[in-house]
Amino acid sequence: MIGLRRGLVKGARIAALGVYVPERVLTNDELSRTLDTSDEWIASRTGIRERRIARADQASSDLAVEAARRALAAGGLAAHDIDLVIVATITPDMFFPATASIVADKIGATRAGAFDLEAGCTGFIYGLAAATAFVSAGIYHNILVIGAEVLSRSLDWEDRRTCVLFGDGAGAVVVTASDNGGIFSFDLGNDGSGAEHLSLPAGGSRLPATHETVDRHEHFMHMLGSEVYKFATRVIVESCEKVLADAEVTVADVDLFVPHQANIRIIEAAAKRLGFKSDQVFHNLDHYGNTSCASIPLCLAEAVAGGRLKKGDTLLMAGFGAGLTWGSCLTEWDL
Ligand code: UT7
């Protein structure tokens, strides 16, 4: 551990981690049998080779429940220890009730409040920030923050510009009160003028479901990829520079940088501009694709399992997505 200026965010740490991905693997080659695409195009433009797809009977809450149970078991916690359940998702089971309400019930977190958090693919970072605020203020002690997505249900499988990019999965952490404070600093941002670049247009109060909205494929994700690409490479850099400066930490002090997993070219461009060496940067999108709110916790679990993230390490996480939103978080890894 290097000499961080502690105390920007007092008294909160990540105390447990659990993840779940569906078993079904969908490869680029499989996609290219039904779509005008190829493994070569997808892998070279995005870094993605395969993704997981939920079973027909699995909704986001089912993936979230598995991840949450694993996090509780890993942290030696019972469901009744949880004060609040936050589910960050862009693919809730339904408009209401909140997916978090369903998850809290299924895991038996009967003492807990529950709400969903919608901040595009940045939802996990926003959830961490919200949980840290509750814990630091002394309002709650243990908060489950879950990123869970079944994006395969929101994709237009005839649209090669979007459907090849995403996958399903879930990751959960417990944010807990701590004497030291493992979480140092946050940055959350939003630019709603870019809302149209990444959206699921129909089904809400703006464009309620009609036969026409279904015929126009407006209940699926729509994205202007090049705009999101430009936005992402800019905001990741600015946001990370801000949280590092706030905590008086340099890029060289960071043991692991875990960015949202959308495109390897975005990750490499942002990491290069920030001055990271490749061994400081974690990515696993080759086998999961973009799992939106689940992407960062899925990376954390794999980094821990592979010995890339160890207790005492300085961890920088950064996300971006629909909104357009962005956010980053600097923490000492304490598991
Ligand atoms: O969580 C946040 C969400 N999203 C993102 O972060 C996405 C950010 N954007 C991106 O990652 C990239 O912009 C994409 C991967 C989406 C697209 O890559 P690109 O290098 O910007 O490609 P492009 O959109 O400029 O398309 C180049 C060509 C087009 O053909 P024409 O018009 O030049 O003939 C596309 O139609 O590639 C074509 N294309 C494909 N070809 C084969 C687009 N998708 C595919 C595909 N297979 N799957």
Side-chain angles (χ1 to χ4, degrees):
M1 253 298 295
I2 33 78
L4 294 173
R5 196 186 81 191
R6 289 166 178 275
L8 273 172
V9 181
K10 281 207 180 296
R13 59 186 274 267
I14 293 174
L17 169 68
V19 296
Y20 171 78
V21 289
E23 279 170 27
R24 165 85 165 99
V25 175
L26 177 63
T27 64
N28 291 349
D29 282 335
E30 247 182 297
L31 275 172
S32 63
R33 278 178 225 142
T34 53
L35 207 59
D36 181 16
T37 189
S38 63
D39 177 53
E40 200 282 326
W41 192 96
I42 302 169
S44 64
R45 296 290 183 118
T46 72
I48 299 164
R49 293 214 171 261
E50 58 188 44
R51 70 287 293 144
R52 300 300 178 99
I53 303 292
R55 291 192 315 265
D57 65 338
Q58 286 177 313
S60 292
S61 68
D62 300 304
L63 276 54
V65 163
E66 287 300 328
R69 286 190 177 131
R70 290 173 190 192
L72 292 176
L77 290 157
H80 68 256
D81 294 326
I82 299 299
D83 302 304
L84 182 65
V85 177
I86 302 174
V87 174
T89 183
I90 59 168
T91 53
D93 286 21
M94 54 192 105
F95 262 140
F96 60 87
T99 302
S101 299
I102 297 165
V103 172
D105 176 60
K106 283 188 180 163
I107 64 173
T110 49
R111 277 196 326 103
F115 66 85
D116 283 3
L117 193 159
E118 218 284 55
C121 300
T122 323
F124 183 74
I125 299 286
Y126 270 71
L128 270 185
T132 301
F134 275 117
V135 163
S136 301
I139 298 168
Y140 291 128
H141 196 80
N142 292 317
I143 303 183
L144 253 177
V145 179
I146 309 169
E149 304 284 8
V150 178
L151 287 150
S152 56
R153 305 272 154 72
S154 299
L155 297 170
D156 182 348
W157 289 99
E158 293 173 7
D159 178 9
R160 67 179 185 174
R161 294 166 304 166
T162 52
C163 75
V164 304
L165 305 173
F166 296 90
D168 302 336
V173 295
V174 179
V175 175
T176 296
S178 128
D179 292 338
N180 299 319
I183 293 174
F184 299 129
S185 55
F186 278 105
D187 174 53
L188 302 180
N190 173 63
D191 177 4
S193 69
E196 66 194 19
H197 297 327
L198 182 50
S199 68
L200 194 153
S205 56
R206 176 72 58 199
L207 209 54
T210 61
H211 290 291
E212 289 73 28
T213 61
V214 172
D215 290 344
R216 292 197 298 260
H217 292 210
E218 287 172 342
H219 295 268
F220 295 127
M221 181 193 298
H222 288 239
M223 181 171 71
L224 200 52
S226 54
E227 290 299 323
V228 180
Y229 189 101
K230 280 185 279 180
F231 151 80
T233 41
R234 177 175 56 81
V235 294
I236 293 176
V237 175
E238 290 170 2
S239 183
C240 287
E241 282 175 345
K242 185 167 186 308
V243 293
L244 291 171
D246 282 351
E248 295 179 359
V249 169
T250 69
V251 161
D253 297 327
V254 174
D255 296 295
L256 200 65
F257 174 44
V258 175
H260 171 48
Q261 307 285 297
N263 187 322
I264 191 69
R265 289 155 53 212
I266 295 175
I267 294 172
E268 286 175 353
K272 189 172 169 202
R273 280 177 60 191
L274 282 161
F276 281 114
K277 297 189 186 115
S278 59
D279 64 354
Q280 288 173 289
V281 183
F282 194 87
H283 51 84
N284 64 4
L285 80 172
D286 57 324
H287 47 280
Y288 292 140
N290 179 347
T291 56
S292 183
C293 294
S295 82
I296 289 176
L298 283 174
C299 282
L300 297 180
E302 202 169 311
V304 169
R308 297 271 312 270
L309 182 59
K310 301 176 289 297
K311 192 175 173 71
D313 279 356
T314 299
L315 168 70
L316 176 64
M317 299 171 271
F320 61 88
L324 298 167
T325 59
W326 64 90
S328 48
C329 170
L330 185 73
T331 180
E332 177 184 339
W333 189 250
D334 200 17
L335 287 180

